[in-house]
Amino acid sequence: MPEHAGSPLLSRRFEEALVYAHRLHARQTRKGTRVPYVAHLLSVAALVLEDGGEEEEAIAALLHDAIEDAAEDGAAVLRQELRRRFGERVLGIVEGCTDADTQPKPPWRERKERYLAHVPHAPPEVRRVSVADKLHNARAILTDLRRNGHGLWHRFRGGRDGTLWYYRALVEAYRKAGTTPLVEELDRVVTELEGLAAGR
């Protein structure tokens, strides 16, 4: 019998977050695919939990793109709703994972450089959710590159070179705050991605 049998590890707040995240992203798919976007959110939450994250971190993982994907006039309302439903800590993690909350978004490179500067100084719970997000994204890119070839790079605003630069820079930014198993896994995936992109 599991050690924690009889006392649920995840409460109804996680269930509520899952339903809420699905409603927010129900019409979205993964970039360039027909995969429902919620698959990414579930994967990020799973990585956070498997890394030892607490329920509030897993909830934030489900909601990490909520503010970023909100319409400009909806970001403030969404912040209030996240605070009301899930509390200040969850909102803080989601905000820490958000690289832009305005529409139209600032230029791609500017946003990414600002996010990279923020990462080393972010609280540990923000870094955990952030690196889980980037790890799942990098794995998805690697899988699609193997399946579909180099045509996939046109999906990304940074193109091949910008995307590879960003993921390598993320590894370095996370390591400035101290490495973790998730960061090391991200490094391995990015290294493989770089090799495949270069034809190695």
Side-chain angles (χ1 to χ4, degrees):
M1 184 172 286
E3 182 181 344
H4 298 285
S7 64
L9 295 176
L10 296 172
S11 72
R12 284 182 176 261
R13 291 179 71 238
F14 182 85
E15 182 181 343
E16 182 185 351
L18 181 55
V19 171
Y20 186 63
H22 178 253
R23 287 176 182 162
L24 287 175
H25 299 277
R27 296 180 179 274
Q28 292 177 270
T29 56
R30 293 286 280 161
K31 193 177 291 185
T33 76
R34 299 188 61 174
V35 177
Y37 197 79
V38 72
H40 170 63
L41 306 177
L42 290 167
S43 296
V44 176
L47 286 169
V48 165
L49 289 169
E50 289 165 2
D51 191 57
E54 299 173 1
E55 181 179 55
E56 288 189 324
E57 294 170 56
I59 289 171
L62 292 172
L63 299 167
H64 73 271
D65 278 331
I67 293 173
E68 194 166 309
D69 289 348
E72 183 173 11
D73 58 354
V77 173
L78 191 53
R79 277 188 170 88
Q80 292 174 2
E81 188 68 5
L82 292 178
R83 181 182 287 111
R84 183 183 71 78
R85 285 175 178 260
F86 305 108
E88 198 68 46
R89 185 169 182 235
V90 168
L91 174 61
I93 298 171
V94 173
E95 288 184 317
C97 293
T98 300
D99 77 1
D101 62 356
T102 57
Q103 299 290 343
K105 292 180 179 180
W108 183 85
R109 182 83 181 208
E110 176 187 322
R111 279 190 290 125
K112 301 310 179 189
E113 288 180 346
R114 188 182 309 135
Y115 191 78
L116 289 167
H118 151 76
V119 161
H121 312 289
E125 61 266 30
V126 170
R127 290 199 310 275
R128 175 181 271 140
V129 175
S130 174
V131 71
D133 170 34
K134 305 313 181 194
L135 173 56
H136 185 254
N137 284 339
R139 284 175 172 171
I141 295 170
L142 182 60
T143 298
D144 285 353
L145 184 57
R146 287 185 183 129
R147 285 178 180 165
N148 305 317
H150 295 275
L152 73 82
W153 297 116
H154 76 273
R155 300 178 191 167
F156 303 99
R157 289 192 183 170
R160 187 193 73 164
D161 292 347
T163 302
L164 293 174
W165 159 79
Y166 183 50
Y167 278 91
R168 177 51 61 196
L170 280 164
V171 172
E172 294 168 3
Y174 292 126
R175 280 181 170 159
K176 286 179 182 175
T179 194
T180 69
L182 287 177
V183 173
E184 293 309 305
E185 178 64 14
L186 178 62
D187 179 37
R188 286 188 286 272
V189 174
V190 172
T191 298
E192 192 171 350
L193 191 55
E194 290 166 336
L196 197 57
R200 297 197 296 272

